[in-house]
Amino acid sequence: MSSHIMLYDYLAGDKDINSKVLVEVGTTREAVSGQDSTKYFYNISNELGFKFITVDMDEENSRNVESRFPNISAVTMKGEDYLKEYQGMIDYVYLDAFDFYHSQHPQYRKDKYRDILNCEINNESCHKMHLECCESLINKMPTGGIILFDDVLNPQYDGKGKTAIPFLLENNFNVVRYHPGVRGCLLVKLSQHS
């Protein structure tokens, strides 16, 4: 199981799903079986009838999914910028963008970060990016809105949630599920006002 599967019960159980929006920040780079979150969300959005938008900094990733999935809404933009500019409410968010540092990143991925973002893959930038996404989201999500992080390495939120998850916890969100096997952490918005 991959972390994006953690959203299935919430999406399938949402009686008003056809009026909802799911934004994926971090479009699938490689179509690896079981790890292709963009394909998963695209297929289930067509099945259940909600609006799905995938956002990525890399135009190549956007073009790739546009060639694979008819009429997909793929945006080439930094996720934090997209969420800051987004007008309206977002019901579900899947955050799987700026990578945290480890020694196994392939050279082509490191080159993409240098070419597009003018930086190296590093934890500080990873944490900053995910925090900026959440700073925009706290006022753009309804009560019951859900944010799912990929690559949360442990209950201390190391990886992509290190600064963003504590920020959300201070702003009326609650962790409802952490799945160490898939490194996913799911949070729900408790109410509109703290």
Side-chain angles (χ1 to χ4, degrees), residues 20 22 52 67 74 101 120 123 186 191:
K20 303 294 177 69
L22 184 153
F52 169 54
S67 71
Y101 174 80
E120 304 292 325
N123 288 336
L186 190 144
S191 66

Side-chain angles (χ1 to χ4, degrees), residues 47-64:
E47 176 188 334
L48 299 178
F50 61 87
K51 182 176 182 178
F52 169 54
I53 304 162
T54 186
V55 182
D56 199 272
M57 66 168 186
D58 188 346
E59 186 176 7
E60 183 178 349
N61 293 339
S62 299
R63 284 196 310 264
N64 178 38

Side-chain angles (χ1 to χ4, degrees), residues 4-14 40-41 44 47-48:
H4 54 270
I5 305 299
M6 292 172 66
L7 274 180
Y8 179 80
D9 289 341
Y10 295 91
L11 296 168
D14 189 335
Y40 175 78
F41 291 133
I44 198 170
E47 176 188 334
L48 299 178

Side-chain angles (χ1 to χ4, degrees), residues 68-84:
R68 293 171 60 208
F69 308 120
N71 302 313
I72 192 169
S73 181
V75 177
T76 303
M77 193 172 187
K78 289 175 16 178
E80 63 271 36
D81 293 343
Y82 179 80
L83 293 175
K84 185 175 184 179

Side-chain angles (χ1 to χ4, degrees), residues 90-106:
I90 303 172
D91 304 281
Y92 299 93
V93 178
Y94 181 60
L95 293 178
D96 185 20
F98 202 113
D99 289 301
F100 64 92
Y101 174 80
H102 59 74
S103 61
Q104 305 303 311
H105 290 298

